[in-house]
Amino acid sequence: MNVSRTSLPRELYFFYEKNTGVSHFHVEAGADGQFPVEQAAGLLAMHCLVRGQSPRDYVVMVQAASDSLEGLTEKAEQLLQAGHSVGSSVKLTRREEEVLGGVMRSLANKEIAATLNLSERTVKFHVSSLLAKFRVRGRMELVREAARHTATPMTMAPPSVSPRETRPSVPPPHSYSQVARNMGPIALTKRQLLA
C-alpha cells in the first residue's frame, strides 16, 4: 500500500522555555516531513529578540504520535484510583478538614476561627480531635502526619453563606488619592466636632 507523505499528519515541534516550561510557539514539519530549520530559526530569533533571551533558553519537543499514547489515560486513571483508595486511613469530617487546612497553613486558632466563621473554642475542639485522630501531641507533628496520610492537599475553604444569613457589607478600602479634589470646605455642627 503506497501512502503519500502529504496525507499523513505532520509532526509539530514545540519550543518551550527551559526555566518556566512555557510553550511559546510551534512549527509544523515541512511537506517532506523534515524539520523546517529556516522557519524555526526565524521564529526563535524573533522570540529571543523580543524577550531578551538566547536560543539556548529554549528546548524543542516533538508531539507524540497518537498510537504511542494509546492506553495512557486509562492506565493513569487506574493508578489514580489506586492512590485515592490508599490515600488516607484517617477519616475526617468536612469541618475537621477545613480546620486542618488552616493548621497546615500555620494559622493560629483565632485566624482559623475568623476565616471559617467559628468560635475560637470550636476550633480548639476540632484541633484536639485532629490531634487524637492522628495520634500526635502537637501542631507540628499534626502537620507532618497529615501531609503523610492525605492524598489531596488540605485547603481551607471559605465559609459558605446560607441564603437566609446576611453579612454586613464592608466598603472597599480607599486611599487618599481617590478622594475627590473638587470638594470644598464642609461645615460641621458643634455636635459633630465633639463626637
Side-chain angles (χ1 to χ4, degrees):
M1 180 163 115
N2 189 4
V3 179
S4 69
R5 284 199 64 86
T6 55
S7 67
L8 294 175
R10 296 183 188 176
E11 286 185 329
L12 294 176
Y13 298 89
F14 294 89
F15 284 74
Y16 286 86
E17 192 175 344
K18 285 181 185 176
N19 292 340
T20 63
V22 174
S23 174
H24 287 286
F25 65 95
H26 69 273
V27 293
E28 189 176 358
D32 59 356
Q34 298 297 313
F35 178 72
V37 176
E38 296 297 322
Q39 178 191 9
L43 286 169
L44 182 57
M46 284 190 325
H47 276 269
C48 289
L49 184 65
V50 169
R51 297 177 180 277
Q53 294 176 316
S54 161
R56 289 178 183 78
D57 293 333
Y58 288 86
V59 65
V60 181
M61 295 190 174
V62 181
Q63 183 179 23
S66 58
D67 59 341
S68 301
L69 301 176
E70 193 172 312
L72 172 68
T73 304
E74 294 81 14
K75 187 63 144 175
E77 285 176 355
Q78 289 172 356
L79 292 169
L80 187 60
Q81 287 176 354
H84 283 306
S85 67
V86 172
S88 175
S89 59
V90 179
K91 301 298 179 210
L92 303 176
T93 65
R94 180 184 57 84
R95 188 60 87 187
E96 285 172 337
E97 287 178 357
E98 292 171 345
V99 171
L100 181 58
V103 171
M104 293 183 79
R105 288 177 40 214
S106 301
L107 298 178
N109 288 350
K110 193 172 192 176
E111 294 169 310
I112 296 170
T115 304
L116 297 176
N117 201 21
L118 297 172
S119 71
E120 194 173 345
R121 183 175 177 177
T122 302
V123 171
K124 285 180 184 178
F125 169 79
H126 286 301
V127 170
S128 296
S129 174
L130 288 166
L131 293 172
K133 283 186 175 185
F134 282 96
R135 296 186 177 115
V136 293
R137 286 179 271 152
R139 290 170 87 99
M140 291 304 293
E141 287 180 74
L142 175 61
V143 169
R144 191 175 331 117
E145 284 300 307
R148 203 168 62 82
H149 281 89
T150 56
T152 56
M154 293 283 151
T155 57
M156 207 160 90
S160 58
V161 179
S162 67
R164 295 182 307 174
E165 187 180 298
T166 58
R167 294 203 176 152
S169 65
V170 178
H174 66 278
S175 64
Y176 289 109
S177 61
Q178 294 173 332
V179 177
R181 299 284 183 220
N182 60 357
M183 293 182 87
I186 301 171
L188 298 175
T189 63
K190 187 175 184 179
R191 177 179 282 162
Q192 289 172 319
L193 288 171
L194 295 175

